[in-house]
Amino acid sequence: GDSVTQMEGPVTLSEEAFLTINCTYTATGYPSLFWYVQYPGEGLQLLLKATKADDKGSNKGFEATYRKETTSFHLEKGSVQVSDSAVYFCALMLTGNQFYFGTGTSLTVIP
Amino acid sequence: EAGVVQSPRYKIIEKKQPVAFWCNPISGHNTLYWYLQNLGQGPELLIRYENEEAVDDSQLPKDRFSAERLKGVDSTLKIQPAELGDSAVYLCASSESGGNSYNEQFFGPGTRLTVL
């Protein structure tokens, strides 16, 4: 069935380190792909999205490219900050606004 | 503009008791979602409304869970009776409706339920 698999955490990085959180998907048809972020004590927020193959979503220094050939949508940031500490969720959407979320990856950035 | 409002934020009950959660979506958002989020997991859809109609409730355990959105605005999710395994965070989200393109979902802060 349709699903999202993302890298297990927790991930701990030093400030200014490079971040990659892997996400792969299984889906029928042509899904749209998303990264959501959940800061401590807050609700999920959309971080970035890509609606078709080869699209690159970007926001707040984060990037992810929709790779149809590898069914992936890995999240990257070149230099993380302490304020990026949060849980990151990869998700896909099929037609009819059907959403499937990954299990989340917790990121802690230490000064 | 106010975001998605949920109440209560926290609820502790004993098993077999009933519990209800309330959600007020962003004004003008016709689509409303209820999700269940277990610890260490991603959100899982329970039910989706388009206005007052439940268009996807396939994952809602109908023996004990019920939901309503009578006037197509705010919504209530109920569990009766609650079981220990229902302890989780219940998330509400809303989005605009229409078309085949993506309509961003806006999430509320959730209600954390603990069943003792």
Side-chain angles (χ1 to χ4, degrees):
Chain A
D2 306 304
S3 66
V4 173
T5 302
Q6 67 179 99
M7 178 173 129
E8 291 190 13
V11 174
T12 302
L13 295 174
S14 297
E15 205 165 23
E16 299 183 3
F18 184 86
L19 169 71
T20 299
I21 301 178
N22 290 338
C23 172
T24 57
Y25 67 90
T26 301
T28 53
Y30 304 96
S32 295
L33 300 173
F34 309 87
W35 279 99
Y36 278 80
V37 59
Q38 188 172 30
Y39 298 104
E42 299 183 15
L44 276 75
Q45 303 173 28
L46 178 65
L47 180 60
L48 53 84
K49 67 179 186 288
T51 57
K52 61 183 186 298
D54 300 325
D55 272 1
K56 177 186 285 188
S58 61
N59 186 25
K60 300 181 180 179
F62 291 88
E63 294 183 340
T65 301
Y66 189 151
R67 301 288 189 198
K68 185 179 178 183
E69 64 275 15
T70 55
T71 62
S72 65
F73 193 56
H74 305 321
L75 182 68
E76 297 181 337
K77 186 173 186 181
S79 176
V80 293
Q81 305 301 311
V82 172
S83 58
D84 293 327
S85 298
V87 181
Y88 293 82
F89 293 91
C90 185
L92 69 82
M93 185 191 77
L94 301 172
T95 55
N97 278 353
Q98 300 176 63
F99 267 82
Y100 298 87
F101 286 86
T103 55
T105 301
S106 175
L107 170 67
T108 300
V109 180
I110 55 177
Chain B
E1 179 183 348
V4 176
V5 179
Q6 291 188 247
S7 68
R9 291 293 308 275
Y10 304 90
K11 188 73 176 179
I12 301 173
I13 61 172
E14 294 187 346
K15 63 182 180 181
K16 301 185 181 179
Q17 295 301 304
V19 65
F21 314 124
W22 176 81
C23 172
N24 186 251
I26 292 173
S27 178
H29 282 190
N30 295 328
T31 306
L32 184 146
Y33 310 76
W34 282 104
Y35 288 93
L36 166 69
Q37 186 177 17
N38 286 304
L39 186 65
Q41 300 294 314
E44 300 173 25
L45 181 69
L46 289 171
I47 189 168
R48 175 167 64 93
Y49 283 93
E50 295 288 346
N51 299 301
E52 64 273 13
E53 182 182 358
V55 296
D56 184 356
D57 64 354
S58 57
Q59 301 303 310
L60 188 72
K62 298 181 182 64
D63 56 337
R64 297 184 300 108
F65 286 65
S66 64
E68 60 184 17
R69 194 185 184 199
L70 295 175
K71 297 183 179 179
V73 180
D74 55 352
S75 176
T76 303
L77 177 69
K78 298 178 181 177
I79 309 174
Q80 182 170 11
E83 297 179 351
L84 295 176
D86 296 331
S87 296
V89 176
Y90 292 83
L91 298 170
C92 181
S94 70
S95 69
E96 295 180 348
S97 300
N100 293 320
S101 62
Y102 167 66
N103 294 310
E104 180 178 349
Q105 291 189 46
F106 294 83
F107 283 83
T111 296
R112 182 177 296 277
L113 173 67
T114 301
V115 182
L116 304 176

